[in-house]
Amino acid sequence: MKRDMATPSSLDDITESEETDLCDWQLPLAFMKKRHLERIEGSKTVTQTWRMKERMKTVSVALVLCLNVGVDPPDVVKTSPCARLECWIDPLAMSPQKALEAIGGNLQKQYERWQPRARYKQSLDPTVEEVKKLCTSLRRNAKEERVLFHYNGHGVPKPTVNGEIWVFNKSYTQYIPLSIYDLQTWMGSPSIFVYDCSNAGIILESFKQFSQQREQEYEACNELAQINRNHPSLHNNMPLPPPLKNCIQLAACSTTQLLPMNPELPADLFTSCLTTPIKIALRWFCCQRSAKLVPDITLELIDKIPGRLNDRRTPLGELNWIFTAITDTIAWNVLPRELFQKLFRQDLLVASLFRNFLLAERIMRSYNCTPVSSPRLPPTYHHPMWQAWDLAVDHCLSQISTVLQGSEYKHSPFFAEQLTAFQVWVISGSEMRSPPEQLPIVLQVLLSQVHRLRALDLLGRFLDLGPWAVSLALSVGIFPYVLKLLQSSARELRPLLVFIWAKILAVDSSCQADLVKDNGHKYFLSVLADPYMPAEHRTMAAFVLAMIVHNYPNGQEACLQGNMIAICLDQLSDPHHLLRQWLAVCLARIWTNFDAARWCGVRDSAHEKLYVLLNDPLPEVRAGAVLALGTFIGNCTERTDHANNIDHNVGLTLLNISQDGSPIVRRELSVALNEFVCQFESHFVMISMQLMEEEQKRQNELHSPDNLLPGPLSPLGSGSSAGSHSSSSLGSGDLLVPPSGGLFSPDKMRRIPSGASLSSLWAPSYGSVYAQVWKVILQLSNDPHPDVRDLCAKIIGAINLKASITAKPQRVKESRKTYSAPNSPTNRQLGNTYLDDSPPNDKLAIPHEIARPVALKPGEQPPPARPQNPAPIGAQFAHSHQFPRSRKLFDKGPSVSRTSITNTYEEAEEVMSHRKIEIQTEFASWSCKYFAQSVMKMPEEVDPESTLHHEREWRFVRDTKVRREAREQQKKAQFSRLDDQIFINKNQNVPLGICFHPYESHVVVADRDGISTWNWEQGAKLNHFYNGNVKPTRITSIDLLNAHDIPLLLTGSDDGAVRVWRNYSGENGKPHELVTAWQALTDMLPSTRGSGMVVDWEQESGMLLASGDVRIIRVWDTQREVRLQDIPTGADSCVTSLACDSVGRSLLIAGCGDGSVRLYDRRLAPQECRVMTLREHNSWVVKVHLQKGGDGNIISGSVAGDVRFWDPRFTESVNTINTVQSLTALEVHEQAEVFACGSANQLISVYNLAGDNLSTIKYHDGFMGQRIGPLSCMAFHQHKVLLAAGSSDSFLSIYAVDKKR
């Protein structure tokens, strides 16, 4: 909406005395729950990439050492002194052969620290043949797993530019080249290569060139093989696919660099970094200037650091733990996600080597040597997390001397500080920010009992930020950690773990298999069964279990064995509504297509216990219960009398909620009834066949309009519809209705509600459960909500189609037999389909009013007894919505050839082979979105800093300003003329209802089936749309809900349907949306002159009163979307107007068509609640109004023109004002002491409450004269003194107080 923002001066104008007007904040909002604000559909499935497609394991390791101890290679000039240590052994301290063997043994031990189960083979100073034998042997044994090739070339020349490394001849008198091409062939893939030699980068380049060459050869052989398919020898000589893709390489330096020769360092510095990272990191730290800040630290002292690397409680183990966390964090923050997964999560040994490679890059770069890798990694040596590592080392080394003397070691604050940094990020975190770099550290902290509780809490808060946070956590590797924690018995972890798993499963339901495999479901069953757990956590446990059993038979079986059904049933009466909802969904999913669970539920009387939830205050809980009962019906594979009786009982019980006020409940009911229909399909097909035959007979009897008799008509059976209009958003507009309409032409009949013909002519003698279910399905096919209507139309269409095929003429294809649906529950005779023992002899005694096609138009010829074209016979094909509603179900249809008829049967018979009519809703998936979204974050509507809150605050300030400015007008109104016409325009059709927006310059006008919104200040039409009520029904009442905030438009039509619309004005380019719709009144009575449906809305209580052409006043609670009570009117005429006491909300006032005004106290019993009847009017009561305040009078007016004032305490009026004759409209201003009377005699008179005629507006001829026709409706503005009037010539006028006077 275009609004001028409130200026500071306007805000200052609000005085303290007007603070009471700010009670807008306390007014409840109707139809603003999540189920009203969004479509009932699940989240879009996002493919999760965190799970590794294939895990690998390095099973074999080749350690190739070319040292030739005591002999330096000819192309390297070493410094003196020079680095000598190899695997921390001085080779010159013993004989060459012993040194070589000791170095090989040490290298193997260093690798075994990372992969103890691998198969290790050493090749010390080997020949080419020995290397070949070693590599081919390891590849043969490894099969498809990874093999590691470690090459130490410190005793041989540097690699050549031709792609060769060096080994020895047998007598060690020559260096022999070994081609990388050959090495590729022997090693195959997947493999990992480690090159510790000078100029190692050359090997990587050669490896790449040879891989490309091999790939080209492979493609060439492939092409040749395609050309010469008859030469198998070509295939036999084809080389293997190139190994580069699955080969990983780590090289100590680039193509032109030599290895460091610093005597303080080991000669195999690269290997030391990869295999003994903590030892080399500490030694390197001591060589830096920063080490001088730590006194008394020597290399000898470093070797004495107590503890073991795999014991996190010791100083050495803690350093190793911190190192793992830091290198993991650096990699996760720097590497692309896919590469991180491949290098750091696919293979334990590869992950360890690459963590240590990051250290190698940092240390070796400080000596002007740059390690390289394939795949190449971005530089990480300058990452700020290395400073945290230096601090942790500093903290450890500063204590070593005292610890060795017996002092207690103080653990590093590293993890606590990182958790604090993560907490700071989470507090203000969002998807728009860079991911928190501490996330991998949080996972490492989960391993520690000291920090675990805090880490889980922060992890849960992070996951609560949204699905993107869950995906991030899964990509970093959270899954195995939290899966293993389910084995913990610590009670304090239960709420946190349940919350975390709820978040994970809400985003990625595939984790269900992992949970069942590790018996994780038992953890959540124990949480759900724990009465001491808060309801919120039991709700999350129920959600997790519902995800475990969803479409997963192993999960269903495991949870059934865990007694899940009994655990859920025991808690159905829990006061926490979300828990009740998820318990129902849990039950629905465990016995979906799982007969064992169904019979377990039968033994526990599950269906009877679920009946209680059908009357739950929350629509979501009721929908969950219907979902559970629907799947309970729909999965029985073996039909027995016991199974049939149970399903009949459930089906009949479900029929009781067919008039529920919430569309989500009725949608689930449609699906549940479809399950019932599918279980007993043959019975419904027979019902449909019989109805077709009876309808055909009736059609043949009714040849002309003279035979038409008065009777009820179902509005959806009319020959015309709102679908002829241009609106495309209404689901009912173009839908071919099921055969449930009446037989009579709409222009001759009264409007009555959908399904009235069904209920009014229903008799107990037709007591078959199948007929009752079919009746309700037909009623729901006329539902005012298009989603419900479409679901039931599919059911009816499918059954009618099968009935048409079953009853098709034999002459079309003589070889075919007439048969019923394949899933007939039993092969018994038709009589056995009844619950009682005395069925009719020949056919089902179903009244033809249950379902019948639209009547013939006057003069239309009836069809032959056996129609020649089978397609339209009671059928609803998938494309039937393309036909207009006037198409007759039994008309001749388009002329088609006999061949096309046969093809139609052949195609249609495919329908008979399908067991189920597949219709479903996304209610359960939509409910899952609750856990995918933030549940800890303050809701936007109550967050004082949110945009939503600021917009609402602006609206409430605007409301106060409008009310304050209107008070001056209200004071003058009882002395001023109200005849200044400030707006006149022609509406689309005759206005039947008018409603002012209290705070915007909008007026909403309703005609028979459309809504128009006008801006009365600018004189422009803002929007027009169709309400969706089909002809001949009409809109008889409108009102604005939540008018003080974002308004919704409520419309009531004379078929008893209520619809609520959002964005009705069409401003800001937003299309109008149907928020909800339901049948507020049923069994509307036909009459020659009816009031339709009249409503009264109370914003303070969220209560809607509905009455009209019925003998009751129905009270609806819109917050719970349930019918509260039916109050009998006690009158023999319709109710024409309603009013309610807004203070106590117990006094109801109804004006009736017989002239009586009746008062009811809704606190009393239904038969006693009528407390007074006022009978001074002698004709139709046009309006009743209750003045505000505890002592307000009742004002009523009748068609005769007498306006009477009543004191609710007395039966006689306290004042009478005789106004205009032929009164058609009476309106009383809510605040000002004036009322207006509109007449069919083309005049409006305005009076004050004392009876003085303030002004009269009449029809005047001439160009300057006022244009006013017979009045059809009027409305006062709620605050301003403005009067809108609609007349039967379709003109809409608005009058204001003449400012000149």
Side-chain angles (χ1 to χ4, degrees):
M1 296 180 182
K2 292 184 178 180
R3 301 185 178 97
D4 297 327
M5 291 299 291
T7 60
S9 59
S10 66
L11 294 173
D12 296 337
D13 289 341
I14 302 175
T15 63
E16 293 181 4
S17 63
E18 294 171 328
E19 287 182 358
T20 54
D21 289 333
L22 297 178
C23 65
D24 289 341
W25 288 103
Q26 279 76 47
L27 275 179
L29 295 174
F31 302 111
M32 293 294 286
K33 300 289 191 299
K34 190 177 288 288
R35 62 181 179 270
H36 304 121
L37 299 177
E38 61 186 34
R39 287 192 60 82
I40 307 299
E41 57 189 15
S43 302
K44 293 181 180 178
T45 304
V46 178
T47 304
Q48 295 294 328
T49 58
W50 66 271
R51 197 183 289 273
M52 295 302 301
K53 295 179 181 177
E54 54 177 6
R55 285 201 171 273
M56 281 194 185
K57 187 187 298 181
T58 302
V59 296
S60 301
V61 178
L63 303 177
V64 179
L65 303 180
C66 298
L67 294 178
N68 199 13
V69 177
V71 180
D72 291 336
D75 59 346
V76 176
V77 180
K78 293 188 177 180
T79 61
S80 180
C82 184
R84 290 192 309 190
L85 296 181
E86 299 278 357
C87 294
W88 304 106
I89 293 176
D90 185 351
L92 302 181
M94 57 187 80
S95 66
Q97 186 59 33
K98 285 187 176 180
L100 185 62
E101 292 173 358
I103 292 169
N106 254 19
L107 181 60
Q108 180 171 332
K109 289 178 182 177
Q110 288 172 194
Y111 267 109
E112 286 175 343
R113 156 84 177 83
W114 306 105
Q115 179 60 290
R117 297 182 179 179
R119 181 183 183 187
Y120 290 89
K121 291 286 185 180
Q122 300 177 26
S123 188
L124 309 178
D125 289 349
T127 63
V128 173
E129 286 302 318
E130 288 171 346
V131 173
K132 178 180 180 180
K133 183 178 179 181
L134 172 66
C135 294
T136 53
S137 171
L138 292 181
R139 168 49 58 199
R140 184 169 58 251
N141 293 326
K143 297 180 181 177
E144 301 299 321
E145 297 289 358
R146 184 172 274 132
V147 178
L148 186 146
F149 180 87
H150 180 100
Y151 174 73
N152 182 324
H154 295 175
V156 293
K158 295 177 287 188
T160 68
V161 293
N162 294 327
E164 297 163 328
I165 58 176
W166 297 94
V167 290
F168 303 96
N169 62 1
K170 290 185 179 180
S171 58
Y172 298 100
T173 58
Q174 288 183 332
Y175 299 111
I176 306 299
L178 189 158
S179 172
I180 297 298
Y181 187 91
D182 293 335
L183 185 63
Q184 283 182 349
T185 305
W186 303 334
M187 286 291 293
S189 69
S191 300
I192 178 169
F193 299 86
V194 177
Y195 311 117
D196 190 347
C197 59
S198 296
N199 295 11
I202 292 177
I203 305 176
L204 266 68
E205 293 183 356
S206 301
F207 195 100
K208 182 178 180 181
Q209 291 173 5
F210 290 141
S211 294
Q212 292 173 348
Q213 175 187 336
R214 194 180 294 272
E215 186 175 350
Q216 292 169 0
E217 292 173 359
Y218 180 74
E219 291 176 356
C221 287
N222 252 341
E223 292 176 4
L224 198 59
Q226 293 294 328
I227 297 172
N228 302 293
R229 293 174 182 269
N230 299 325
H231 292 76
S233 59
L234 290 172
H235 295 275
N236 297 335
N237 297 329
M238 197 185 307
L240 293 172
L244 179 64
K245 183 178 180 182
N246 292 319
C247 290
I248 298 170
Q249 301 174 85
L250 300 175
C253 56
S254 64
T255 56
T256 59
Q257 293 175 337
L258 298 178
L259 295 178
M261 299 183 191
N262 190 326
E264 296 178 350
L265 301 173
D268 61 345
L269 177 60
F270 186 59
T271 299
S272 298
C273 289
L274 293 182
T275 58
T276 56
I278 303 302
K279 188 172 184 176
I280 190 63
L282 292 174
R283 285 175 169 268
W284 180 76
F285 180 82
C286 290
C287 297
Q288 307 305 304
R289 291 179 182 176
S290 57
K292 297 177 181 178
L293 298 175
V294 184
D296 303 327
I297 290 298
T298 62
L299 294 178
E300 292 75 16
L301 196 63
I302 288 175
D303 292 332
K304 296 178 182 179
I305 295 178
R308 292 172 300 165
L309 287 172
N310 55 1
D311 187 353
R312 292 188 297 270
R313 295 169 295 181
T314 63
L316 197 59
E318 185 179 64
L319 275 178
N320 185 58
W321 185 25
I322 294 173
F323 175 80
T324 302
I326 285 177
T327 50
D328 231 27
T329 300
I330 293 173
W332 187 74
N333 283 285
V334 172
L335 268 58
R337 292 284 178 265
E338 187 176 351
L339 187 58
F340 175 81
Q341 292 284 335
K342 178 181 178 181
L343 300 183
F344 286 82
R345 292 294 181 264
Q346 191 181 54
D347 185 323
L348 289 176
L349 180 58
V350 172
S352 301
L353 290 177
F354 268 94
R355 285 194 200 99
N356 302 341
F357 179 80
L358 302 184
L359 175 69
E361 184 194 17
R362 186 187 190 213
I363 292 178
M364 298 185 73
R365 270 181 179 268
S366 66
Y367 298 104
N368 298 318
C369 189
T370 307
V372 290
S373 67
S374 173
R376 183 175 294 276
L377 303 187
T380 59
Y381 66 95
H382 59 276
H383 196 280
M385 284 302 293
W386 285 120
Q387 297 176 14
W389 166 247
D390 291 340
L391 180 62
V393 172
D394 188 291
H395 178 272
C396 176
L397 295 181
S398 64
Q399 302 181 67
I400 293 304
S401 58
T402 57
V403 168
L404 292 175
Q405 296 172 8
S407 300
E408 185 180 354
Y409 177 73
K410 296 179 182 178
H411 289 283
S412 171
F414 170 80
F415 288 108
E417 291 168 351
Q418 294 299 319
L419 285 179
T420 302
F422 182 65
Q423 181 178 358
V424 171
W425 192 98
V426 168
I427 290 173
S428 57
S430 71
E431 190 174 4
M432 308 307 296
R433 294 181 58 188
S434 299
E437 64 179 20
Q438 300 83 11
L439 192 55
I441 298 176
V442 175
L443 302 190
Q444 289 291 328
V445 177
L446 294 178
L447 301 172
S448 165
Q449 289 187 349
V450 177
H451 303 291
R452 183 176 293 159
L453 201 62
R454 184 185 178 200
L456 283 173
D457 178 58
L458 290 175
L459 180 61
R461 293 179 183 276
F462 174 70
L463 299 181
D464 191 57
L465 294 176
W468 61 270
V470 177
S471 297
L472 273 180
L474 289 172
S475 73
V476 82
I478 180 183
F479 190 76
Y481 291 78
V482 291
L483 185 62
K484 190 172 183 180
L485 282 175
L486 292 179
Q487 300 171 11
S488 170
S489 59
R491 286 187 60 84
E492 64 273 13
L493 298 183
R494 283 186 165 193
L496 300 170
L497 284 173
V498 167
F499 183 86
I500 288 170
W501 273 104
K503 289 294 176 183
I504 292 174
L505 284 168
V507 174
D508 187 358
S509 60
S510 67
C511 301
Q512 58 186 182
D514 304 270
L515 282 170
V516 174
K517 182 180 178 182
D518 282 32
N519 288 323
H521 63 284
K522 294 181 179 178
Y523 189 87
F524 300 101
L525 284 170
S526 65
V527 172
L528 183 59
D530 187 351
Y532 299 103
M533 286 293 289
E536 292 81 3
H537 300 135
R538 282 182 286 134
T539 301
M540 293 174 189
F543 166 72
V544 171
L545 290 167
M547 298 304 291
I548 288 174
V549 300
H550 182 47
N551 292 335
Y552 186 52
N554 291 348
Q556 290 175 307
E557 180 67 41
C559 289
L560 180 63
Q561 297 298 325
N563 206 26
M564 190 179 92
I565 291 179
I567 294 173
C568 290
L569 292 175
D570 288 343
Q571 303 184 59
L572 287 180
S573 59
D574 192 276
H576 191 65
H577 68 89
L578 203 57
L579 176 57
R580 298 195 302 273
Q581 176 185 341
W582 275 104
L583 290 172
V585 174
C586 226
L587 291 169
R589 286 182 166 180
I590 191 173
W591 55 48
T592 298
N593 300 323
F594 188 35
D595 220 25
R598 170 197 157 94
W599 286 110
C600 178
V602 169
R603 287 190 292 272
D604 287 345
S605 303
H607 54 296
E608 295 177 1
K609 294 175 182 177
L610 282 167
Y611 292 163
V612 180
L613 296 187
L614 296 178
N615 297 315
D616 196 272
L618 268 294
E620 290 88 347
V621 180
R622 301 198 297 273
V626 177
L627 173 66
L629 291 170
T631 56
F632 186 82
I633 297 173
N635 65 358
C636 188
T637 53
E638 295 184 11
R639 300 309 321 179
T640 63
D641 289 341
H642 185 39
N644 289 350
N645 289 335
I646 292 173
D647 286 352
H648 292 159
N649 184 278
V650 174
L652 289 173
T653 304
L654 285 173
L655 302 186
N656 296 329
I657 60 163
S658 61
Q659 298 300 327
D660 193 283
S662 175
I664 64 172
V665 179
R666 300 198 305 278
R667 274 195 290 263
E668 292 307 312
L669 175 63
S670 303
V671 176
L673 294 181
N674 176 60
E675 298 288 353
F676 187 89
V677 169
C678 291
Q679 289 295 329
F680 303 99
E681 187 177 87
S682 62
H683 302 285
F684 290 98
V685 170
M686 290 182 180
I687 290 175
S688 180
M689 288 170 56
Q690 179 185 334
L691 295 174
M692 290 178 197
E693 293 174 4
E694 291 187 3
E695 189 56 43
Q696 259 187 290
K697 293 177 182 177
R698 181 174 291 270
Q699 293 277 2
N700 292 336
E701 294 171 1
L702 302 177
H703 293 286
S704 66
D706 298 332
N707 292 335
L708 291 174
L709 300 173
L713 171 71
S714 177
L716 286 186
S718 62
S720 57
S721 74
S724 59
H725 297 296
S726 60
S727 173
S728 61
S729 64
L730 299 177
S732 64
D734 303 320
L735 183 68
L736 178 63
V737 295
S740 57
L743 288 171
F744 308 106
S745 300
D747 54 345
K748 298 206 172 194
M749 299 309 306
R750 267 295 303 152
R751 295 169 297 273
I752 65 166
S754 58
S757 60
L758 311 178
S759 56
S760 59
L761 294 178
W762 191 257
S765 58
Y766 306 121
S768 165
V769 61
Y770 310 116
Q772 293 185 53
V773 170
W774 192 242
K775 167 194 168 186
V776 169
I777 292 174
L778 292 168
Q779 288 176 334
L780 291 174
S781 69
N782 293 339
D783 194 273
H785 200 285
D787 291 350
V788 181
R789 186 167 62 239
D790 293 348
L791 288 173
C792 289
K794 289 180 181 178
I795 301 172
I796 295 170
I799 292 298
N800 285 351
L801 177 58
K802 292 189 177 185
S804 301
I805 298 168
T806 304
K808 68 181 183 289
Q810 294 296 316
R811 58 182 173 78
V812 174
K813 198 164 184 179
E814 295 298 333
S815 62
R816 297 189 182 178
K817 296 180 180 180
T818 302
Y819 57 91
S820 60
N823 62 329
S824 302
T826 177
N827 292 325
R828 300 173 187 173
Q829 295 298 320
L830 185 60
N832 291 337
T833 64
Y834 279 79
L835 292 180
D836 55 22
D837 295 325
S838 55
N841 295 326
D842 53 349
K843 59 184 180 179
L844 287 169
I846 310 301
H848 42 68
E849 286 80 7
I850 297 179
R852 58 183 178 221
V854 180
L856 295 171
K857 289 182 180 178
E860 193 170 16
Q861 292 299 317
R866 282 285 185 180
Q868 308 213 354
N869 157 353
I873 305 181
Q876 285 247 336
F877 291 106
H879 59 272
S880 62
H881 64 277
Q882 299 170 1
F883 299 118
R885 196 180 262 108
S886 57
R887 181 177 174 86
K888 298 301 179 296
L889 216 52
F890 286 94
D891 66 359
K892 189 175 181 182
S895 58
V896 291
S897 66
R898 184 173 298 275
T899 304
S900 66
I901 294 176
T902 306
N903 291 339
T904 301
Y905 282 137
E906 290 173 348
E907 294 170 3
E909 277 195 350
E910 293 182 10
V911 178
M912 303 297 289
S913 64
H914 294 294
R915 172 169 170 75
K916 293 190 69 172
I917 307 163
E918 291 294 341
I919 68 168
Q920 59 185 2
T921 69
E922 294 190 48
F923 167 72
S925 301
W926 171 77
S927 300
C928 293
K929 288 165 64 175
Y930 170 83
F931 295 98
Q933 298 160 356
S934 177
V935 297
M936 294 183 184
K937 185 180 177 183
M938 183 185 298
E940 195 176 8
E941 55 268 19
V942 297
D943 181 3
E945 299 303 321
S946 68
T947 303
L948 189 68
H949 188 276
H950 289 313
E951 290 176 351
R952 178 165 292 163
E953 189 174 30
W954 179 88
R955 285 191 291 270
F956 292 168
V957 171
R958 171 208 64 183
D959 298 351
T960 303
K961 184 179 177 183
V962 169
R963 288 192 290 262
R964 177 174 51 80
E965 292 175 349
R967 288 192 187 110
E968 294 300 318
Q969 296 182 21
Q970 295 165 11
K971 293 175 183 176
K972 299 176 182 177
Q974 56 184 322
F975 310 109
S976 306
R977 293 179 61 83
L978 185 65
D979 56 4
D980 184 14
Q981 189 177 62
I982 61 172
F983 173 89
I984 183 169
N985 227 313
K986 189 163 187 177
N987 196 52
Q988 193 112 347
N989 289 299
V990 177
L992 299 180
I994 303 176
C995 185
F996 275 104
H997 189 299
Y999 306 107
E1000 298 276 358
S1001 55
H1002 297 167
V1003 61
V1004 184
V1005 186
D1007 51 54
R1008 293 188 67 89
D1009 55 5
I1011 306 292
S1012 300
T1013 306
W1014 297 83
N1015 186 314
W1016 51 265
E1017 281 188 343
Q1018 300 175 0
K1021 180 187 284 190
L1022 301 177
N1023 196 24
H1024 178 84
F1025 64 92
Y1026 290 95
N1027 184 53
N1029 54 294
V1030 296
K1031 293 180 180 179
T1033 63
R1034 61 189 174 96
I1035 300 172
T1036 55
S1037 54
I1038 62 171
D1039 209 336
L1040 286 182
L1041 319 181
N1042 309 335
H1044 63 297
D1045 194 15
I1046 301 176
L1048 303 174
L1049 178 66
L1050 180 145
T1051 66
S1053 49
D1054 62 356
D1055 58 355
V1058 167
R1059 294 171 176 85
V1060 178
W1061 298 93
R1062 182 189 297 115
N1063 305 326
Y1064 63 88
S1065 65
E1067 288 193 310
N1068 296 333
K1070 295 181 180 179
H1072 61 278
E1073 299 176 30
L1074 183 65
V1075 178
T1076 186
W1078 77 98
Q1079 200 72 32
L1081 293 174
T1082 53
D1083 303 328
M1084 299 284 277
L1085 301 174
S1087 61
T1088 54
R1089 184 194 175 201
S1091 58
M1093 180 168 68
V1094 293
V1095 299
D1096 184 68
W1097 166 248
E1098 286 296 331
Q1099 187 73 45
E1100 294 82 359
S1101 62
M1103 194 169 66
L1104 181 72
L1105 307 180
S1107 191
D1109 292 329
V1110 288
R1111 299 297 179 259
I1112 57 168
I1113 300 171
R1114 184 161 289 171
V1115 184
W1116 287 91
D1117 182 345
T1118 59
Q1119 295 296 328
R1120 298 186 291 172
E1121 300 186 54
V1122 294
R1123 179 177 63 187
L1124 286 182
Q1125 63 184 132
D1126 286 349
I1127 301 173
T1129 61
D1132 291 330
S1133 59
C1134 61
V1135 173
T1136 60
S1137 180
L1138 287 170
C1140 178
D1141 173 19
S1142 60
V1143 180
R1145 303 188 187 92
S1146 58
L1147 178 63
L1148 307 184
I1149 305 159
C1152 299
D1154 60 1
S1156 63
V1157 176
R1158 297 167 185 257
L1159 279 62
Y1160 307 88
D1161 188 339
R1162 58 182 297 259
R1163 295 171 297 184
L1164 301 177
Q1167 301 305 323
E1168 302 172 2
C1169 61
R1170 180 158 55 96
V1171 293
M1172 193 178 298
T1173 303
L1174 312 176
R1175 297 187 179 276
E1176 294 187 13
H1177 291 296
N1178 295 319
S1179 57
W1180 181 287
V1181 175
V1182 176
K1183 173 84 172 182
V1184 292
H1185 174 82
L1186 179 63
Q1187 291 179 298
K1188 290 190 174 181
D1191 55 351
N1193 285 334
I1194 299 170
I1195 303 174
S1196 63
S1198 72
V1199 171
D1202 55 326
V1203 177
R1204 298 180 183 273
F1205 294 75
W1206 313 81
D1207 188 321
R1209 297 169 295 180
F1210 307 106
T1211 58
E1212 296 182 356
S1213 60
V1214 296
N1215 189 20
T1216 301
I1217 302 173
N1218 290 311
T1219 61
V1220 299
Q1221 292 293 319
S1222 302
L1223 189 70
T1224 56
L1226 170 67
E1227 288 297 323
V1228 183
H1229 199 285
E1230 293 279 353
Q1231 315 288 340
E1233 296 183 355
V1234 295
F1235 65 91
C1237 301
S1239 171
N1241 298 327
Q1242 297 178 270
L1243 65 88
I1244 302 172
S1245 291
V1246 182
Y1247 300 83
N1248 59 23
L1249 298 187
D1252 301 327
N1253 188 340
L1254 302 179
S1255 56
T1256 300
I1257 305 166
K1258 295 184 178 180
Y1259 180 88
H1260 294 287
D1261 292 323
F1263 178 72
M1264 298 298 291
Q1266 295 202 40
R1267 181 74 179 266
I1268 178 171
L1271 266 294
S1272 59
C1273 56
M1274 290 194 308
F1276 268 116
H1277 193 282
Q1278 188 173 340
H1279 302 292
K1280 299 179 180 180
V1281 184
L1282 297 174
L1283 176 65
S1287 53
S1288 58
D1289 56 4
S1290 300
F1291 274 90
L1292 172 69
S1293 305
I1294 298 179
Y1295 302 94
V1297 174
D1298 192 347
K1299 296 180 180 178
K1300 298 178 182 178
R1301 293 188 172 88

